[in-house]
Amino acid sequence: MAALSRTVSSLSRRPQLQGLQSARQMSSLFGHVEPAPKDPILGVTEAFLADQSPDKVNVGGVRLPLRTPSSIPRSLAAGAYRDDNGKPLVLQCVREAERRIAGNLNMEYLPMGGSITMIEQSLKLAYGEDSEFIKDKKIAAVQALSGTGACRLFADFQKRFLPDSQIYIPTPTWSNHHNIWRDANVPQNKFTYYHPESRGLDFSGLMSDIKNAPDGSFFMLHACAHNPTGVDPTEEQWREISHLFKAKKHFPFFDMAYQGFASGDPERDAKAIRIFLEDGHQIGCAQSYAKNMGLYGQRVGCLSILCDDEKQAVAVKSQLQQLARPMYSNPPVHGALVVSIILNDPELKNLWLQEVKGMADRIIGMRTALKENLEKLGSPLSWEHITNQIGMFCYSGMTPEQVDRLTNEFHIYMTRNGRISMAGVTSGNVGYLANAIHEVTKPK
Amino acid sequence: MAPSHVQPGAPQEPSADRRLSTLVRHLLPSSPRRTAAEDSSATLESSPTMASQGCSVFAGLAQAPEDPILGVTVAFNKDPSPNKVNLGVGAYRTEEGKPLVLNVVRRAEQMLVNDPTRYKEYLPITGLADFNKLSAKLIFGADSPAIQENRVATVQCLSGTGSLRVGGEFLGRHYHERTIYIPQPTWGNHVKVFALSGLTVKTYRYYDPATRGLDLKGFLEDLSSAPTGAIVLLHACAHNPTGVDPTIDEWEQIRQLMRSKSMLPFFDSAYQGFASGNLDKDAQSVRMFVADGGELLMAQSYAKNMGLYGERVGALSIVCGSADVAGRVESQLKLVTRPMISSPPLHGASIVATILKDSEMYHEWTVELKAMADRIISMRQQLFDALKARGTPGDWSHIIKQIGMFTFTGLTSEQVAFMRQEYHIYMTSDGRISMAGLNAKNVNQLADAIHAAVTQLK
């Protein structure tokens, strides 16, 4: 026993360890692992952080790491909301909810399906306060790891129970959508969405692709504030899409990451979903509280699937839980507590509604300001799309070369597809931004 | 075109005609003169109750069985008996049978809430950097050469489950040997986690029912006949469900055999500090494997030892042969987690980091942790004494020999069912009881139940 103890302790002190380690370096079991490509969005942040210019502006919509140096004057990091001083914002209703939690509530495991009260409130937001589907218990719903987790659970569920199905994803979309369905091993197809020439919706292309898809196809639709274009169908267009879906028996899966954040009114932002529900569709829905409650890092969301009846909803929920268990067992409690405290308390809920409207209004205000500034500068181009588009992002229509000039000459950072995160625009930098955009886009 | 199929009472929108004709054009481009009324394929039903007419694409789906472990709590909750006892899930309970939030955790949480400069922004994909570094130090030791040489890639994950799954997925994609050997028995969720990661799951002998101890001979034999390079899951301490751990001698034999066959250790550490009451002692097995310079995976959980259960706090560390490999490995781990969760949750990791980086709070944690471990050790003794006092047939010394939160009682599933039925005692059907659920008030009820089960059902 003593000899063995000596062996054990000598292993940690032995000088030959060097030789052993070199041997290990050559024979690492992971020596063949390739470096992964850099994330196309996060790479923008890295460049931004390295830029020494005091004028630099980040409208890349990236997620900065938690420790953003305060020396960056107007941090436009977004993909996360910023206030008019360029600072991240914690909602008052959230702070109050956290005050109530700290010191009072325990941290026991949630059930596999997550917080029941959070789910109930989430369904009301998405399906309507008085939804008969909620009353009749026809909706299978589980708490998920924000929008990503909800989409992933749905993709895994789709793979397991409809293994021959595919998913139609709009062009363009949030890049992680492709990763999610790919990792779930669900084949992907693209459908037409954005119309570059008008910087709006390619509605006839969209309808054509819906029609040409085989009957019963699965489509992923952005419920509001399309990411990255900010281009949403009108209510009328949504109705036509819904009717065509009905005829084709397609399954609509809604990714709703911006309810309340788009127009400032959660009911209005859920209109597309409500139209589909009225038309009798079976739908799936991913909800996220990352933006509309500013809960980004808490990872709170909900996945729901409308079923024929209560029995089926119970079965579907049980199967969703079977997918969650080997991924994370049960979802995190803190963010769910924050959401349920806010939505269950009428005063806090009202405060939230005001605060989310405040965020949406500021962004809408910045859209107007940016457009007006460009017009005042005498830009001959049309900038209508800045105010036609909605939500956090604006697809400016600038070319990669123009974006590069913005970065190199003006220290303005955005993704090379010309996407501007409006959340990062402030009254302090909108003039500078407009000037720079005008400079790189004006005819020679 | 009269929209005759529009539901009575629905608002007659002026654009209804236009909508229908648009639709017909899309569906029947070659027959523009057909009307909706004539062509049934253009007929729409706008009934809001369509979903109730049984057209769900998931109509054939069966209800999943209850989870064998979490289902125990579900059944327990349904039981109306005032005397019911839940010995199912491994969640610590106080002497009063209440869940416990550690004082130091409450303090940390309060500090976070009171700090107005704190935001809730997304963490990086790999999680909270401080948390990752401190977690690696906690399990590998602050002076670990692997850490000092930057050979450790760590990503924050959703507690132990999340860490195991991310590690499994990584191996499924990047490791040449797709078989993982797990001990017999093991935590019920291990099989599913690794199967969904794309690995083939095999078992190695571990528990010897005859001795209620370790079957080292079987363990070593099974690993010897496993392929070179196979992945081997090891419980770092406080084996779940048996509570049977190898001694240091035995670990050394295991280590030598594994390294001689280039096998890849995948440690699951869910109970560091909870087993013996000492964090370093409970990490000895892991540190032996790091000390020999070799590579390994480590799934760490703070669910039990910091009582953070529902916050889902954990970390996956991969000890690599070089810093360069570790960098590449980390980049690939991000590709696994991004399409699962994008980035991990902030709250629990912030609490852990707050505690681990403050020496006074760290010390307070070790004191509270030891108190939990000590209470469990005391319950082991109380249960053993109670059975002895009743003269319950059989050797019950394993109750005090086994380590950690669980005791593998050796009860059969019939005996377990009997105890649930007659005595409202809930445990998993493999006879595993969570000692944390015991206290001075219910230990006699349990002893009575065991006694009855063992004497009435052979």
Side-chain angles (χ1 to χ4, degrees), chain A residues 20 28-29 31-34 107-108 148 211 243 282 297 299 319 329, chain B residues 26 44 56 62 93 120 161 174 292 295 310 328 332 341-342 346:
Chain A
L20 192 62
S28 167
L29 299 167
H32 62 286
V33 171
E34 294 287 321
M107 294 163 171
E108 291 291 281
T148 305
K211 182 192 78 166
H243 277 247
Q282 178 184 23
R299 321 308 296 124
Q319 294 292 357
S329 282
Chain B
H26 283 291
L44 302 170
S56 165
R93 291 287 176 269
K120 310 216 168 300
T161 308
H174 296 288
D292 68 14
E295 297 172 313
R328 287 183 267 134
Q332 291 291 347
I341 59 170
S342 276
L346 172 59

PDB file of all heavy atoms in Angstrom, chain A residues 20 28-29 31-34 107-108 148 211 243 282 297 299 319 329, chain B residues 26 44 56 62 93 120 161 174 292 295 310 328 332 341-342 346:
ATOM      1  N   LEU A  20       7.563  12.157 -21.123  1.00  0.00           N
ATOM      2  CA  LEU A  20       6.250  11.517 -21.276  1.00  0.00           C
ATOM      3  C   LEU A  20       5.301  12.464 -22.013  1.00  0.00           C
ATOM      4  O   LEU A  20       4.527  12.072 -22.867  1.00  0.00           O
ATOM      5  CB  LEU A  20       5.699  11.175 -19.887  1.00  0.00           C
ATOM      6  CG  LEU A  20       4.483  10.252 -19.847  1.00  0.00           C
ATOM      7  CD1 LEU A  20       4.809   8.904 -20.443  1.00  0.00           C
ATOM      8  CD2 LEU A  20       4.026  10.068 -18.405  1.00  0.00           C
ATOM      9  N   SER A  28      -1.197  12.456 -29.331  1.00  0.00           N
ATOM     10  CA  SER A  28      -2.487  12.862 -28.778  1.00  0.00           C
ATOM     11  C   SER A  28      -3.607  12.160 -29.522  1.00  0.00           C
ATOM     12  O   SER A  28      -3.601  12.050 -30.749  1.00  0.00           O
ATOM     13  CB  SER A  28      -2.677  14.374 -28.896  1.00  0.00           C
ATOM     14  OG  SER A  28      -4.032  14.702 -28.643  1.00  0.00           O
ATOM     15  N   LEU A  29      -4.577  11.705 -28.757  1.00  0.00           N
ATOM     16  CA  LEU A  29      -5.734  11.063 -29.346  1.00  0.00           C
ATOM     17  C   LEU A  29      -6.549  12.058 -30.156  1.00  0.00           C
ATOM     18  O   LEU A  29      -7.419  11.673 -30.936  1.00  0.00           O
ATOM     19  CB  LEU A  29      -6.598  10.459 -28.233  1.00  0.00           C
ATOM     20  CG  LEU A  29      -5.869   9.383 -27.411  1.00  0.00           C
ATOM     21  CD1 LEU A  29      -6.649   9.055 -26.146  1.00  0.00           C
ATOM     22  CD2 LEU A  29      -5.663   8.125 -28.232  1.00  0.00           C
ATOM     23  N   GLY A  31      -5.002  14.689 -31.903  1.00  0.00           N
ATOM     24  CA  GLY A  31      -4.073  15.462 -32.713  1.00  0.00           C
ATOM     25  C   GLY A  31      -4.590  15.791 -34.098  1.00  0.00           C
ATOM     26  O   GLY A  31      -4.175  16.766 -34.717  1.00  0.00           O
ATOM     27  N   HIS A  32      -5.538  14.977 -34.569  1.00  0.00           N
ATOM     28  CA  HIS A  32      -6.072  15.155 -35.913  1.00  0.00           C
ATOM     29  C   HIS A  32      -7.207  16.175 -35.970  1.00  0.00           C
ATOM     30  O   HIS A  32      -7.706  16.489 -37.046  1.00  0.00           O
ATOM     31  CB  HIS A  32      -6.621  13.804 -36.405  1.00  0.00           C
ATOM     32  CG  HIS A  32      -7.741  13.332 -35.529  1.00  0.00           C
ATOM     33  ND1 HIS A  32      -7.542  12.824 -34.266  1.00  0.00           N
ATOM     34  CD2 HIS A  32      -9.080  13.355 -35.723  1.00  0.00           C
ATOM     35  CE1 HIS A  32      -8.709  12.536 -33.715  1.00  0.00           C
ATOM     36  NE2 HIS A  32      -9.664  12.846 -34.567  1.00  0.00           N
ATOM     37  N   VAL A  33      -7.639  16.669 -34.809  1.00  0.00           N
ATOM     38  CA  VAL A  33      -8.810  17.550 -34.780  1.00  0.00           C
ATOM     39  C   VAL A  33      -8.489  18.877 -35.448  1.00  0.00           C
ATOM     40  O   VAL A  33      -7.511  19.532 -35.111  1.00  0.00           O
ATOM     41  CB  VAL A  33      -9.277  17.770 -33.321  1.00  0.00           C
ATOM     42  CG1 VAL A  33     -10.342  18.851 -33.248  1.00  0.00           C
ATOM     43  CG2 VAL A  33      -9.791  16.471 -32.737  1.00  0.00           C
ATOM     44  N   GLU A  34      -9.303  19.247 -36.420  1.00  0.00           N
ATOM     45  CA  GLU A  34      -9.102  20.498 -37.152  1.00  0.00           C
ATOM     46  C   GLU A  34      -9.627  21.672 -36.341  1.00  0.00           C
ATOM     47  O   GLU A  34     -10.618  21.519 -35.617  1.00  0.00           O
ATOM     48  CB  GLU A  34      -9.913  20.463 -38.460  1.00  0.00           C
ATOM     49  CG  GLU A  34      -9.447  19.415 -39.468  1.00  0.00           C
ATOM     50  CD  GLU A  34      -8.150  19.813 -40.104  1.00  0.00           C
ATOM     51  OE1 GLU A  34      -7.968  21.006 -40.392  1.00  0.00           O
ATOM     52  OE2 GLU A  34      -7.298  18.930 -40.279  1.00  0.00           O
ATOM     53  N   MET A 107     -33.503  25.915  -5.139  1.00  0.00           N
ATOM     54  CA  MET A 107     -32.962  25.637  -6.467  1.00  0.00           C
ATOM     55  C   MET A 107     -33.163  24.186  -6.866  1.00  0.00           C
ATOM     56  O   MET A 107     -32.339  23.620  -7.575  1.00  0.00           O
ATOM     57  CB  MET A 107     -31.467  25.985  -6.476  1.00  0.00           C
ATOM     58  CG  MET A 107     -31.264  27.483  -6.304  1.00  0.00           C
ATOM     59  SD  MET A 107     -29.584  27.834  -5.841  1.00  0.00           S
ATOM     60  CE  MET A 107     -29.579  29.625  -5.970  1.00  0.00           C
ATOM     61  N   GLU A 108     -34.234  23.587  -6.406  1.00  0.00           N
ATOM     62  CA  GLU A 108     -34.512  22.202  -6.737  1.00  0.00           C
ATOM     63  C   GLU A 108     -34.644  22.003  -8.240  1.00  0.00           C
ATOM     64  O   GLU A 108     -34.939  22.936  -8.991  1.00  0.00           O
ATOM     65  CB  GLU A 108     -35.836  21.774  -6.086  1.00  0.00           C
ATOM     66  CG  GLU A 108     -35.745  21.692  -4.581  1.00  0.00           C
ATOM     67  CD  GLU A 108     -34.859  20.546  -4.122  1.00  0.00           C
ATOM     68  OE1 GLU A 108     -35.336  19.398  -4.122  1.00  0.00           O
ATOM     69  OE2 GLU A 108     -33.687  20.795  -3.769  1.00  0.00           O
ATOM     70  N   THR A 148     -32.816  28.803 -29.320  1.00  0.00           N
ATOM     71  CA  THR A 148     -31.963  27.731 -29.852  1.00  0.00           C
ATOM     72  C   THR A 148     -32.414  26.373 -29.360  1.00  0.00           C
ATOM     73  O   THR A 148     -32.606  25.434 -30.139  1.00  0.00           O
ATOM     74  CB  THR A 148     -30.500  27.936 -29.414  1.00  0.00           C
ATOM     75  OG1 THR A 148     -30.055  29.228 -29.787  1.00  0.00           O
ATOM     76  CG2 THR A 148     -29.595  26.872 -30.011  1.00  0.00           C
ATOM     77  N   LYS A 211     -45.661  26.379 -52.983  1.00  0.00           N
ATOM     78  CA  LYS A 211     -46.469  25.540 -53.852  1.00  0.00           C
ATOM     79  C   LYS A 211     -45.687  24.351 -54.378  1.00  0.00           C
ATOM     80  O   LYS A 211     -46.206  23.231 -54.467  1.00  0.00           O
ATOM     81  CB  LYS A 211     -46.980  26.384 -55.029  1.00  0.00           C
ATOM     82  CG  LYS A 211     -47.876  25.621 -55.987  1.00  0.00           C
ATOM     83  CD  LYS A 211     -48.123  26.398 -57.258  1.00  0.00           C
ATOM     84  CE  LYS A 211     -46.922  26.303 -58.167  1.00  0.00           C
ATOM     85  NZ  LYS A 211     -47.163  26.741 -59.556  1.00  0.00           N
ATOM     86  N   HIS A 243     -53.280  30.244 -46.297  1.00  0.00           N
ATOM     87  CA  HIS A 243     -54.212  29.501 -47.142  1.00  0.00           C
ATOM     88  C   HIS A 243     -53.495  28.516 -48.052  1.00  0.00           C
ATOM     89  O   HIS A 243     -53.961  27.394 -48.260  1.00  0.00           O
ATOM     90  CB  HIS A 243     -55.057  30.483 -47.965  1.00  0.00           C
ATOM     91  CG  HIS A 243     -56.231  30.993 -47.182  1.00  0.00           C
ATOM     92  ND1 HIS A 243     -57.533  30.690 -47.488  1.00  0.00           N
ATOM     93  CD2 HIS A 243     -56.279  31.769 -46.075  1.00  0.00           C
ATOM     94  CE1 HIS A 243     -58.331  31.284 -46.592  1.00  0.00           C
ATOM     95  NE2 HIS A 243     -57.592  31.938 -45.734  1.00  0.00           N
ATOM     96  N   GLN A 282     -52.151  22.904 -37.645  1.00  0.00           N
ATOM     97  CA  GLN A 282     -51.373  22.380 -36.525  1.00  0.00           C
ATOM     98  C   GLN A 282     -50.034  23.104 -36.604  1.00  0.00           C
ATOM     99  O   GLN A 282     -49.400  23.111 -37.653  1.00  0.00           O
ATOM    100  CB  GLN A 282     -51.150  20.882 -36.677  1.00  0.00           C
ATOM    101  CG  GLN A 282     -50.305  20.314 -35.557  1.00  0.00           C
ATOM    102  CD  GLN A 282     -49.984  18.840 -35.736  1.00  0.00           C
ATOM    103  OE1 GLN A 282     -50.011  18.305 -36.838  1.00  0.00           O
ATOM    104  NE2 GLN A 282     -49.686  18.170 -34.640  1.00  0.00           N
ATOM    105  N   GLY A 297     -28.612  35.796 -21.337  1.00  0.00           N
ATOM    106  CA  GLY A 297     -27.737  34.759 -20.789  1.00  0.00           C
ATOM    107  C   GLY A 297     -28.445  33.764 -19.894  1.00  0.00           C
ATOM    108  O   GLY A 297     -27.856  32.770 -19.479  1.00  0.00           O
ATOM    109  N   ARG A 299     -31.066  32.060 -20.812  1.00  0.00           N
ATOM    110  CA  ARG A 299     -31.499  30.957 -21.673  1.00  0.00           C
ATOM    111  C   ARG A 299     -32.905  30.452 -21.339  1.00  0.00           C
ATOM    112  O   ARG A 299     -33.076  29.301 -20.906  1.00  0.00           O
ATOM    113  CB  ARG A 299     -30.493  29.788 -21.612  1.00  0.00           C
ATOM    114  CG  ARG A 299     -29.013  30.157 -21.557  1.00  0.00           C
ATOM    115  CD  ARG A 299     -28.509  31.116 -22.634  1.00  0.00           C
ATOM    116  NE  ARG A 299     -28.605  30.544 -23.982  1.00  0.00           N
ATOM    117  CZ  ARG A 299     -29.258  31.100 -25.018  1.00  0.00           C
ATOM    118  NH1 ARG A 299     -29.835  32.269 -24.904  1.00  0.00           N
ATOM    119  NH2 ARG A 299     -29.292  30.475 -26.183  1.00  0.00           N
ATOM    120  N   GLN A 319     -42.712  12.702 -24.987  1.00  0.00           N
ATOM    121  CA  GLN A 319     -41.629  12.375 -25.922  1.00  0.00           C
ATOM    122  C   GLN A 319     -40.620  13.515 -26.022  1.00  0.00           C
ATOM    123  O   GLN A 319     -39.423  13.273 -26.212  1.00  0.00           O
ATOM    124  CB  GLN A 319     -42.207  12.036 -27.310  1.00  0.00           C
ATOM    125  CG  GLN A 319     -43.049  10.777 -27.338  1.00  0.00           C
ATOM    126  CD  GLN A 319     -42.248   9.503 -27.106  1.00  0.00           C
ATOM    127  OE1 GLN A 319     -41.013   9.523 -26.977  1.00  0.00           O
ATOM    128  NE2 GLN A 319     -42.937   8.371 -27.028  1.00  0.00           N
ATOM    129  N   SER A 329     -31.180  16.842 -18.911  1.00  0.00           N
ATOM    130  CA  SER A 329     -32.058  16.330 -17.835  1.00  0.00           C
ATOM    131  C   SER A 329     -33.267  17.227 -17.569  1.00  0.00           C
ATOM    132  O   SER A 329     -34.394  16.749 -17.656  1.00  0.00           O
ATOM    133  CB  SER A 329     -31.300  16.110 -16.528  1.00  0.00           C
ATOM    134  OG  SER A 329     -30.570  14.923 -16.583  1.00  0.00           O
TER     135      SER A 329
ATOM    136  N   HIS B  26     -52.005  30.079 -58.039  1.00  0.00           N
ATOM    137  CA  HIS B  26     -50.803  29.378 -57.597  1.00  0.00           C
ATOM    138  C   HIS B  26     -50.940  27.880 -57.745  1.00  0.00           C
ATOM    139  O   HIS B  26     -49.993  27.181 -58.054  1.00  0.00           O
ATOM    140  CB  HIS B  26     -50.485  29.723 -56.148  1.00  0.00           C
ATOM    141  CG  HIS B  26     -49.855  31.073 -56.004  1.00  0.00           C
ATOM    142  ND1 HIS B  26     -48.587  31.351 -56.445  1.00  0.00           N
ATOM    143  CD2 HIS B  26     -50.334  32.219 -55.488  1.00  0.00           C
ATOM    144  CE1 HIS B  26     -48.300  32.618 -56.204  1.00  0.00           C
ATOM    145  NE2 HIS B  26     -49.337  33.173 -55.622  1.00  0.00           N
ATOM    146  N   LEU B  44     -60.952  25.489 -49.667  1.00  0.00           N
ATOM    147  CA  LEU B  44     -60.296  25.629 -48.362  1.00  0.00           C
ATOM    148  C   LEU B  44     -61.316  25.488 -47.264  1.00  0.00           C
ATOM    149  O   LEU B  44     -62.461  25.907 -47.420  1.00  0.00           O
ATOM    150  CB  LEU B  44     -59.649  27.007 -48.241  1.00  0.00           C
ATOM    151  CG  LEU B  44     -58.611  27.320 -49.321  1.00  0.00           C
ATOM    152  CD1 LEU B  44     -58.235  28.785 -49.238  1.00  0.00           C
ATOM    153  CD2 LEU B  44     -57.392  26.455 -49.152  1.00  0.00           C
ATOM    154  N   SER B  56     -53.433  15.526 -37.032  1.00  0.00           N
ATOM    155  CA  SER B  56     -52.079  15.828 -36.572  1.00  0.00           C
ATOM    156  C   SER B  56     -51.063  14.916 -37.233  1.00  0.00           C
ATOM    157  O   SER B  56     -51.294  13.715 -37.402  1.00  0.00           O
ATOM    158  CB  SER B  56     -52.003  15.638 -35.057  1.00  0.00           C
ATOM    159  OG  SER B  56     -50.664  15.585 -34.645  1.00  0.00           O
ATOM    160  N   ALA B  62     -46.773   7.391 -29.548  1.00  0.00           N
ATOM    161  CA  ALA B  62     -47.121   6.774 -28.272  1.00  0.00           C
ATOM    162  C   ALA B  62     -46.576   7.587 -27.116  1.00  0.00           C
ATOM    163  O   ALA B  62     -45.569   8.276 -27.247  1.00  0.00           O
ATOM    164  CB  ALA B  62     -46.524   5.368 -28.215  1.00  0.00           C
ATOM    165  N   ARG B  93     -31.467  16.517   1.402  1.00  0.00           N
ATOM    166  CA  ARG B  93     -32.508  17.028   2.277  1.00  0.00           C
ATOM    167  C   ARG B  93     -31.914  17.247   3.651  1.00  0.00           C
ATOM    168  O   ARG B  93     -31.027  16.504   4.089  1.00  0.00           O
ATOM    169  CB  ARG B  93     -33.680  16.029   2.383  1.00  0.00           C
ATOM    170  CG  ARG B  93     -34.481  15.882   1.095  1.00  0.00           C
ATOM    171  CD  ARG B  93     -35.334  17.122   0.855  1.00  0.00           C
ATOM    172  NE  ARG B  93     -36.042  17.066  -0.402  1.00  0.00           N
ATOM    173  CZ  ARG B  93     -35.563  17.540  -1.556  1.00  0.00           C
ATOM    174  NH1 ARG B  93     -34.360  18.071  -1.600  1.00  0.00           N
ATOM    175  NH2 ARG B  93     -36.292  17.474  -2.638  1.00  0.00           N
ATOM    176  N   LYS B 120     -27.233  40.801 -18.099  1.00  0.00           N
ATOM    177  CA  LYS B 120     -27.641  39.424 -18.355  1.00  0.00           C
ATOM    178  C   LYS B 120     -27.318  39.022 -19.771  1.00  0.00           C
ATOM    179  O   LYS B 120     -27.978  38.199 -20.363  1.00  0.00           O
ATOM    180  CB  LYS B 120     -29.148  39.300 -18.122  1.00  0.00           C
ATOM    181  CG  LYS B 120     -29.469  39.901 -16.807  1.00  0.00           C
ATOM    182  CD  LYS B 120     -30.534  39.213 -16.045  1.00  0.00           C
ATOM    183  CE  LYS B 120     -30.551  39.732 -14.645  1.00  0.00           C
ATOM    184  NZ  LYS B 120     -29.280  39.503 -13.948  1.00  0.00           N
ATOM    185  N   THR B 161     -25.284  16.102 -16.798  1.00  0.00           N
ATOM    186  CA  THR B 161     -25.892  15.567 -18.021  1.00  0.00           C
ATOM    187  C   THR B 161     -25.374  16.273 -19.262  1.00  0.00           C
ATOM    188  O   THR B 161     -24.938  15.641 -20.230  1.00  0.00           O
ATOM    189  CB  THR B 161     -27.422  15.746 -17.987  1.00  0.00           C
ATOM    190  OG1 THR B 161     -27.951  15.214 -16.788  1.00  0.00           O
ATOM    191  CG2 THR B 161     -28.072  15.059 -19.176  1.00  0.00           C
ATOM    192  N   HIS B 174     -15.223  13.045 -33.447  1.00  0.00           N
ATOM    193  CA  HIS B 174     -13.781  13.234 -33.622  1.00  0.00           C
ATOM    194  C   HIS B 174     -12.908  12.095 -33.138  1.00  0.00           C
ATOM    195  O   HIS B 174     -11.692  12.136 -33.351  1.00  0.00           O
ATOM    196  CB  HIS B 174     -13.338  14.516 -32.902  1.00  0.00           C
ATOM    197  CG  HIS B 174     -13.953  15.753 -33.483  1.00  0.00           C
ATOM    198  ND1 HIS B 174     -13.589  16.266 -34.703  1.00  0.00           N
ATOM    199  CD2 HIS B 174     -14.929  16.551 -33.006  1.00  0.00           C
ATOM    200  CE1 HIS B 174     -14.324  17.341 -34.954  1.00  0.00           C
ATOM    201  NE2 HIS B 174     -15.141  17.542 -33.948  1.00  0.00           N
ATOM    202  N   ASP B 292      -0.178  11.163 -14.907  1.00  0.00           N
ATOM    203  CA  ASP B 292       0.666  10.359 -15.792  1.00  0.00           C
ATOM    204  C   ASP B 292       0.820  11.005 -17.169  1.00  0.00           C
ATOM    205  O   ASP B 292       1.405  10.416 -18.073  1.00  0.00           O
ATOM    206  CB  ASP B 292       0.137   8.914 -15.900  1.00  0.00           C
ATOM    207  CG  ASP B 292      -1.193   8.823 -16.624  1.00  0.00           C
ATOM    208  OD1 ASP B 292      -1.618   9.797 -17.273  1.00  0.00           O
ATOM    209  OD2 ASP B 292      -1.824   7.743 -16.559  1.00  0.00           O
ATOM    210  N   GLU B 295      -4.331  11.800 -21.555  1.00  0.00           N
ATOM    211  CA  GLU B 295      -5.520  12.588 -21.862  1.00  0.00           C
ATOM    212  C   GLU B 295      -6.752  11.977 -21.216  1.00  0.00           C
ATOM    213  O   GLU B 295      -6.780  10.789 -20.878  1.00  0.00           O
ATOM    214  CB  GLU B 295      -5.701  12.675 -23.385  1.00  0.00           C
ATOM    215  CG  GLU B 295      -4.544  13.405 -24.050  1.00  0.00           C
ATOM    216  CD  GLU B 295      -4.595  13.349 -25.563  1.00  0.00           C
ATOM    217  OE1 GLU B 295      -4.809  12.249 -26.105  1.00  0.00           O
ATOM    218  OE2 GLU B 295      -4.416  14.404 -26.202  1.00  0.00           O
ATOM    219  N   GLY B 310     -31.224  22.783  -9.817  1.00  0.00           N
ATOM    220  CA  GLY B 310     -32.049  23.290 -10.926  1.00  0.00           C
ATOM    221  C   GLY B 310     -31.374  24.366 -11.747  1.00  0.00           C
ATOM    222  O   GLY B 310     -31.856  24.732 -12.816  1.00  0.00           O
ATOM    223  N   ARG B 328      -7.636  23.567 -30.472  1.00  0.00           N
ATOM    224  CA  ARG B 328      -8.465  23.046 -31.563  1.00  0.00           C
ATOM    225  C   ARG B 328      -9.681  22.295 -31.020  1.00  0.00           C
ATOM    226  O   ARG B 328     -10.787  22.393 -31.553  1.00  0.00           O
ATOM    227  CB  ARG B 328      -7.636  22.141 -32.471  1.00  0.00           C
ATOM    228  CG  ARG B 328      -6.654  22.933 -33.336  1.00  0.00           C
ATOM    229  CD  ARG B 328      -5.895  22.036 -34.287  1.00  0.00           C
ATOM    230  NE  ARG B 328      -4.628  21.587 -33.743  1.00  0.00           N
ATOM    231  CZ  ARG B 328      -4.203  20.336 -33.801  1.00  0.00           C
ATOM    232  NH1 ARG B 328      -4.931  19.389 -34.348  1.00  0.00           N
ATOM    233  NH2 ARG B 328      -3.024  20.018 -33.303  1.00  0.00           N
ATOM    234  N   GLN B 332     -13.819  22.983 -31.555  1.00  0.00           N
ATOM    235  CA  GLN B 332     -14.782  21.987 -32.024  1.00  0.00           C
ATOM    236  C   GLN B 332     -15.895  21.759 -31.010  1.00  0.00           C
ATOM    237  O   GLN B 332     -17.033  21.437 -31.381  1.00  0.00           O
ATOM    238  CB  GLN B 332     -14.063  20.654 -32.315  1.00  0.00           C
ATOM    239  CG  GLN B 332     -13.142  20.716 -33.534  1.00  0.00           C
ATOM    240  CD  GLN B 332     -13.905  20.862 -34.848  1.00  0.00           C
ATOM    241  OE1 GLN B 332     -15.115  20.682 -34.907  1.00  0.00           O
ATOM    242  NE2 GLN B 332     -13.196  21.184 -35.916  1.00  0.00           N
ATOM    243  N   ILE B 341     -27.664  24.778 -27.586  1.00  0.00           N
ATOM    244  CA  ILE B 341     -28.133  25.796 -26.644  1.00  0.00           C
ATOM    245  C   ILE B 341     -27.591  27.196 -26.935  1.00  0.00           C
ATOM    246  O   ILE B 341     -27.939  28.137 -26.251  1.00  0.00           O
ATOM    247  CB  ILE B 341     -27.745  25.437 -25.189  1.00  0.00           C
ATOM    248  CG1 ILE B 341     -26.226  25.293 -25.058  1.00  0.00           C
ATOM    249  CG2 ILE B 341     -28.445  24.157 -24.742  1.00  0.00           C
ATOM    250  CD1 ILE B 341     -25.762  25.170 -23.605  1.00  0.00           C
ATOM    251  N   SER B 342     -26.733  27.318 -27.919  1.00  0.00           N
ATOM    252  CA  SER B 342     -26.018  28.560 -28.265  1.00  0.00           C
ATOM    253  C   SER B 342     -24.975  28.948 -27.221  1.00  0.00           C
ATOM    254  O   SER B 342     -23.816  29.123 -27.539  1.00  0.00           O
ATOM    255  CB  SER B 342     -26.957  29.753 -28.502  1.00  0.00           C
ATOM    256  OG  SER B 342     -27.444  29.737 -29.817  1.00  0.00           O
ATOM    257  N   LEU B 346     -26.391  31.737 -17.376  1.00  0.00           N
ATOM    258  CA  LEU B 346     -25.492  32.628 -16.649  1.00  0.00           C
ATOM    259  C   LEU B 346     -25.548  32.497 -15.127  1.00  0.00           C
ATOM    260  O   LEU B 346     -24.531  32.543 -14.440  1.00  0.00           O
ATOM    261  CB  LEU B 346     -25.885  34.062 -17.058  1.00  0.00           C
ATOM    262  CG  LEU B 346     -25.266  35.259 -16.358  1.00  0.00           C
ATOM    263  CD1 LEU B 346     -23.770  35.250 -16.516  1.00  0.00           C
ATOM    264  CD2 LEU B 346     -25.855  36.518 -16.965  1.00  0.00           C
TER     265      LEU B 346
END
